[in-house]
Amino acid sequence: MTHKSSSAYTISIIGVLGALLIMQAYIPMVGYIRIIPGLPAISTMHLTVIMAGVILGVRGGAGLGLMWGVISLVKAYTDATDPLTLLLFQNPVIAIIPRVMVGIVAGAIFNHIAPSVLHGVGATVKMIAAGVAGALTNTALVILFTWLFFAHNATQVLAGANAANLWWLLMVAFATNAALETLMAGVVTPVIGQGLMRFKR
């Protein structure tokens, strides 16, 4: 692939994935799927950011992650659908940093572990690992930052919480989301990623 065609490919993928993030954010039940009322919806937006990391590398993943984080922040102020989202994602650190790290982790795993393996079974294994790690990164950092910012006033986050048990209650509250988002990432990343990687040959 020439430099010119590589740049065109990169710009095209960024445009497509960026547009997809916006559609996911604002089309009901596409980017955020609500199962349990009162708790944060299950996201599919991490899939787009993970895909950016895999296909475009760390910088591309971080850029799309930043876009997702800004969208999360804006939605928390303008279109929050539950009290926990309203509380947590109006904090720029909680809204943005975990999303950026999703793209960085996914990009680093796929592109810097056995970097010459870009196709076939080896690439599939790397894509699964990138997807799972990216999804878990988002959940883990949201929980960590929530604990750091709200441990002193834990009842704001969850009824009955205190500084001692907030971490565990957050893990329980996000358990369903984490499991489903991780499963989706592990399945979808190699399916779509392998198709997109063919165009980079």
Side-chain angles (χ1 to χ4, degrees), residues 111-189:
N111 293 283
H112 296 287
I113 296 176
S116 61
V117 180
L118 299 176
H119 306 284
V121 175
T124 298
V125 172
K126 290 203 301 175
M127 287 180 188
I128 292 171
V132 169
L136 291 176
T137 294
N138 180 57
T139 301
L141 288 179
V142 168
I143 290 174
L144 173 62
F145 287 134
T146 299
W147 181 79
L148 289 174
F149 282 103
F150 293 99
H152 66 285
N153 195 4
T155 54
Q156 274 190 285
V157 181
L158 293 169
N162 55 51
N165 66 17
L166 178 61
W167 179 269
W168 301 106
L169 291 176
L170 285 170
M171 290 182 68
V172 171
F174 282 95
T176 300
N177 294 47
L180 292 177
E181 289 171 4
T182 301
L183 178 62
M184 282 191 294
V187 172
V188 172
T189 303

